[in-house]
Amino acid sequence: MWLYGGKVGFGFGPLLELRAFYFRSDDVNAKVRMQNWQTDMLWAANIKDTKLNLTKYGGEMKLNLWKKTFLTPYITAGAGVQKMKYNTYKEDILITDVPMKDEQLFVVLGLGAKFNLSSRATLALEAKNTMFNASKGNYIMRPEYTKTDGGNHLYN
C-alpha cells in the first residue's frame, strides 16, 4: 500500500543521524495471500469487503558506514507505534457492531545506499523489514493462534 507522511531528522556529523517519522494510508483495499498466514478461513472469505486505515509513527537511527564517497551504504534501526483500523462492509453498509482496531509497537531494521550527487543533493534507496506482534484477539489472526502454533510475529 502507498503511505504518505514525512520524516525529519538531525545529523550528528557525517556518520550518525536520528530521524522521526509519521506515515498514514487511508481506505486501502485489504488483501491477503493465504500462504504462511494462520487465519480463520471465514475471515479470509470476508476480507475482500474490508478497507484499512494505517497510521505509523516513531523514530529511527541511521548509521552511514563510511563518508565522503559517491556511494555510501548505511543501516537503520528504529521503533514506533502502528495503528490499524478496519472498515468492514456488507453490501455497501458499514458494519460498526464489532470494534476493528489494532494498535501495537513495531521494530524496523533496514539497509540502504546513498548516492551523493553533489554537496547538497543525494539519492537514497532503502529496504526495510517491519516486525510486530499480533495479539491473539487481532483481526488478522484466528483467536486460537498462540506461540505454541509457531509464534505470533508478523513481518512486512
Side-chain angles (χ1 to χ4, degrees):
M1 78 178 73
W2 288 95
L3 297 169
Y4 61 91
K7 283 184 186 181
V8 295
F10 187 77
F12 296 93
L15 298 178
L16 180 66
E17 296 175 32
L18 295 179
R19 305 191 283 194
F21 58 87
Y22 175 86
F23 294 111
R24 71 177 296 132
S25 190
D26 297 315
D27 256 358
V28 176
N29 288 324
K31 296 178 185 173
V32 175
R33 289 178 298 194
M34 290 307 296
Q35 53 195 351
N36 300 325
W37 283 80
Q38 306 238 354
T39 60
D40 183 299
M41 293 310 287
L42 283 175
W43 173 79
N46 292 323
I47 192 69
K48 63 184 181 297
D49 296 326
T50 300
K51 299 221 181 239
L52 170 71
N53 295 344
L54 175 70
T55 303
K56 294 175 89 163
Y57 56 90
E60 65 185 7
M61 181 177 66
K62 176 182 166 192
L63 179 63
N64 293 314
L65 298 179
W66 56 74
K67 59 182 181 175
K68 295 186 180 178
T69 61
F70 173 72
L71 172 65
T72 305
Y74 61 89
I75 56 176
T76 63
V81 175
Q82 174 174 277
K83 296 179 181 181
M84 292 184 278
K85 181 180 178 232
Y86 306 94
N87 299 313
T88 301
Y89 297 87
K90 184 166 181 125
E91 298 173 6
D92 295 331
I93 299 171
L94 180 63
I95 299 172
T96 58
D97 57 347
V98 180
M100 301 286 191
K101 292 182 185 177
D102 285 315
E103 183 173 348
Q104 61 267 118
L105 298 176
F106 70 91
V107 175
V108 63
L109 298 172
L111 42 101
K114 181 171 69 169
F115 299 92
N116 297 304
L117 304 176
S118 72
S119 63
R120 300 243 179 224
T122 62
L123 173 68
L125 300 173
E126 292 182 348
K128 292 191 177 190
N129 187 7
T130 302
M131 296 153 281
F132 59 94
N133 283 328
S135 68
K136 288 192 257 181
N138 190 304
Y139 181 61
I140 60 176
M141 308 299 283
R142 67 176 195 246
E144 64 271 19
Y145 185 66
T146 63
K147 287 187 179 185
T148 57
D149 290 330
N152 60 355
H153 265 342
L154 295 179
Y155 298 91
N156 163 334

